[in-house]
Amino acid sequence: MLERVPSKKPVIGIFAAAHGTYWGQFPGLKENMEKYHTDFVSLVSKNEGKIVDLGIIDTSISAFDAAEKFNAANVDIIFCNMITYATSSVFAPVLRDCSAPMILCALQPRRAMDYENANTFMQLENDNICSVPEFCGVASRMNKPIHDIIIGTLYNDKKAEQSIHEWCLIAKALRTLRGARIGLMGHVLEAMYDMHTDPTAVFNSFGIHVPLLEIDDLLTEYNKVTKEEIDEQTAIIKEEFDMPEPKSDPLTMKLTDEDLFNAAKASAALERFRKTYKLDGLAYFYAGAEGSENRKLAGSLILGNSMLIARGVPMCGEFDIKTCIAMMIMDTIGIGGSFAEIHPFDFDGDCILVGHDGPHHIQLAQSKPVVRSLKKYHGKEGSGASVEFKLKEGPFTMLGINQTADGGFRFVIGEGISNAGAIPATGNTNTRASYKPDTPTFIKKWCLAGPTHHFAMGTGNYASTLEKLGKVLGVETVVVGTNE
């Protein structure tokens, strides 16, 4: 019942680099090159996005024209298809004049030449790697990065196809971040120094605009909610969540009718709020006076937040816009994005509980997520419905984002394993996480890398993808550890 909010589609630029002098010397070579390039474009087209293919660029004049066309199309990345030897003059104008990340692709049609029948024509058909050193050397002289080199074969090469897919995911993340609107509502929880974030720095590094909002703006939408909207949200909650009896924690209760009603109304208000302010995400914290409408509303948002996260709109408590950005990145590349922090160790099992009170990505749950009424949100004001679920078992990736001493940002990345086993029935999400070489060593290294105390969790092994994205964005990036 949770339909995703439509997302932006990446724009992917492609051109083939070649040496125009060859065409008159080797009849039929250009036609073969055009076929190979068409097959390369087909590989890229398997991924989500709009393709801007400029075909073969074989002179410096056409290279300047290609740069203008890529810029006019506002491409997110550029694949340079190294179809044969080419001089760097057919590549340098594109690299110089386009800001989109450049990826060189050297994919041979043959796995090896037929040496018994080899000739110059065949060599030129498979000379995909020949110009790569020249192109990289010129890029270095220009102080412009080549972000990756994909080496392999054009046909039946799963590793090369995965690399192309990875860069298409990065293109989607770049497209999603640029021009996104993540609202900030309320204020930082007092004394959490790591939560303070400069909205101008957010815009400078990620291209995200940060509307500064008030709880009263949300309350205005809350007071407009109709009975039909509440009934619709109530039906979704009952369909998507279990509501069991409490277990060992005296702070938990079976979801009450009052908390269900408040959560459904708040969820409807959030949907109105999202549309009114054209929000792609929200980070907030608000306490409010005891007994006030503001406190009641702020304490009723967790369920609605979780449903919006599942629909592709990241929502964070504790005013943590940095982790909201991390969640947006993870959701965009298709691996979820749940709000998390570290909880107690299980030294006997060499694991640690990882989770948080508050909103989570329902689509990452191992089983149907649970809703409980909490008599008290620990460490904060208020009470109400809270979400509890366990992350899917298997590999996961962590992305923490913090600001550095000079005002920039830092990606802190790691991979771990979500294990089977019991979690505490506290109305909060928890996962039994383990890491290489052992969990205490990883956690120590994670802390020393200087993250915030929150991070985003997504399924699968995606440290490499996030590291590449960080470098494209110009963000300091630290990979603490992987599952390899």
Side-chain angles (χ1 to χ4, degrees):
M1 297 177 69
L2 292 167
E3 295 184 5
R4 288 185 61 84
V5 174
S7 60
K8 301 174 184 176
K9 306 300 181 186
V11 182
I12 300 167
I14 305 174
F15 75 102
H19 189 39
T21 305
Y22 289 149
W23 311 145
Q25 295 176 317
F26 298 94
L29 181 63
K30 185 175 184 181
E31 289 74 16
N32 287 6
M33 294 292 101
E34 288 172 339
K35 177 188 179 300
Y36 295 142
H37 182 64
T38 298
D39 292 343
F40 174 80
V41 173
S42 295
L43 285 182
V44 179
S45 298
K46 293 178 181 179
N47 300 279
E48 181 180 3
K50 176 184 175 183
I51 303 296
V52 177
D53 173 29
L54 301 186
I56 293 176
I57 305 299
D58 56 9
T59 67
S60 61
I61 295 172
S62 58
F64 280 105
D65 183 56
E68 290 185 5
K69 290 178 178 176
F70 282 141
N71 286 333
N74 195 21
V75 297
D76 297 297
I77 62 170
I78 299 172
F79 287 117
C80 176
N81 184 17
M82 313 290 292
I83 52 173
T84 186
Y85 173 76
T87 63
S88 48
S89 66
V90 305
F91 145 87
V94 179
L95 184 67
R96 178 187 181 277
D97 293 345
C98 295
S99 59
M102 177 77 75
I103 300 95
L104 304 184
C105 300
L107 302 182
Q108 289 183 194
R110 291 174 177 264
R111 292 193 60 82
M113 289 181 64
D114 177 0
Y115 299 109
E116 292 296 321
N117 300 294
N119 53 42
T120 303
F121 189 103
M122 185 188 298
Q123 178 168 324
L124 293 177
E125 282 189 307
N126 292 276
D127 243 347
N128 308 76
I129 196 65
C130 186
S131 295
V132 172
E134 178 181 339
F135 282 27
C136 290
V138 169
S140 179
R141 293 188 66 179
M142 294 169 62
N143 198 28
K144 295 277 286 187
I146 299 296
H147 285 280
D148 202 1
I149 304 168
I150 301 175
I151 298 173
T153 59
L154 183 58
Y155 304 109
N156 303 314
D157 188 333
K158 296 299 182 184
K159 186 176 180 180
E161 290 184 33
Q162 177 57 35
S163 295
I164 291 170
H165 175 65
E166 181 179 50
W167 277 105
C168 290
L169 292 179
I170 292 169
K172 188 177 181 185
L174 294 171
R175 173 65 56 167
T176 298
L177 292 170
R178 190 188 317 140
R181 292 169 56 86
I182 298 181
L184 274 176
M185 183 177 73
H187 56 85
V188 173
L189 179 63
E190 184 188 1
M192 282 188 178
Y193 286 178
D194 63 334
M195 291 296 97
H196 291 273
T197 306
D198 176 4
T200 302
V202 169
F203 174 73
N204 184 48
S205 290
F206 302 105
I208 295 171
H209 177 66
V210 183
L212 301 178
L213 305 166
E214 304 290 344
I215 190 72
D216 299 281
D217 298 323
L218 179 57
L219 186 61
T220 298
E221 302 301 325
Y222 184 78
N223 290 329
K224 295 177 184 177
V225 170
T226 65
K227 180 180 182 302
E228 290 73 23
E229 289 172 303
I230 295 172
D231 290 345
E232 179 183 3
Q233 295 301 314
T234 300
I236 294 173
I237 292 168
K238 289 181 175 179
E239 175 68 24
E240 300 290 344
F241 297 87
D242 276 338
M243 304 165 193
E245 295 290 338
K247 290 188 177 180
S248 58
D249 190 345
L251 289 182
T252 66
M253 301 183 294
K254 182 177 174 63
L255 183 67
T256 66
D257 291 341
E258 180 182 5
D259 285 346
L260 174 59
F261 177 86
N262 290 339
K265 186 173 181 180
S267 179
L270 280 172
E271 180 62 12
R272 283 177 166 269
F273 190 56
R274 177 187 73 81
K275 291 178 178 178
T276 297
Y277 292 94
K278 298 179 174 60
L279 298 179
D280 300 298
L282 177 70
Y284 73 94
F285 175 77
Y286 194 85
E290 188 172 352
S292 67
E293 279 192 294
N294 286 348
R295 177 180 287 193
K296 176 183 174 183
L297 175 55
S300 302
L301 297 177
I302 291 172
L303 263 172
N305 289 345
S306 290
M307 291 191 287
L308 277 175
I309 291 169
R311 296 177 59 208
V313 183
M315 310 288 282
C316 276
E318 298 183 14
F319 211 66
D320 191 357
I321 190 170
K322 297 188 292 298
T323 301
C324 198
I325 294 168
M327 292 165 66
M328 175 177 281
I329 290 169
M330 284 194 161
D331 183 80
T332 297
I333 66 175
I335 64 174
S338 269
F339 193 51
E341 65 185 6
I342 56 176
H343 287 163
F345 275 105
D346 181 336
F347 290 105
D348 292 335
D350 187 33
C351 64
I352 190 169
L353 295 177
V354 171
H356 204 281
D357 62 329
H360 297 279
H361 203 304
I362 296 170
Q363 294 174 353
L364 299 189
Q366 175 69 24
S367 55
K368 199 169 186 179
V370 164
V371 183
R372 303 184 190 276
S373 285
L374 298 187
K375 301 174 186 177
K376 174 72 176 175
Y377 293 143
H378 74 267
K380 308 178 188 70
E381 304 296 336
S383 62
S386 187
V387 178
E388 172 187 307
F389 78 80
K390 185 179 183 297
L391 191 75
K392 288 179 179 176
E393 293 167 12
F396 65 81
T397 302
M398 304 158 62
L399 172 60
I401 303 179
N402 201 3
Q403 282 197 268
T404 59
D406 62 2
F409 289 90
R410 176 188 296 121
F411 279 9
V412 183
I413 301 165
E415 293 175 349
I417 300 292
S418 173
N419 299 286
I423 62 171
T426 58
N428 299 330
T429 289
N430 269 300
T431 294
R432 297 173 63 85
S434 61
Y435 304 90
K436 292 182 177 180
D438 60 77
T439 299
T441 297
F442 175 91
I443 294 298
K444 179 179 179 178
K445 290 175 64 179
W446 178 268
C447 294
L448 289 172
T452 64
H453 71 281
H454 299 143
F455 50 87
M457 294 182 73
T459 54
N461 298 319
Y462 283 84
S464 171
T465 305
L466 296 175
E467 183 181 19
K468 290 182 177 71
L469 176 62
K471 290 178 179 178
V472 167
L473 292 169
V475 173
E476 179 185 332
T477 301
V478 178
V479 178
V480 174
T482 68
N483 287 327
E484 294 183 355

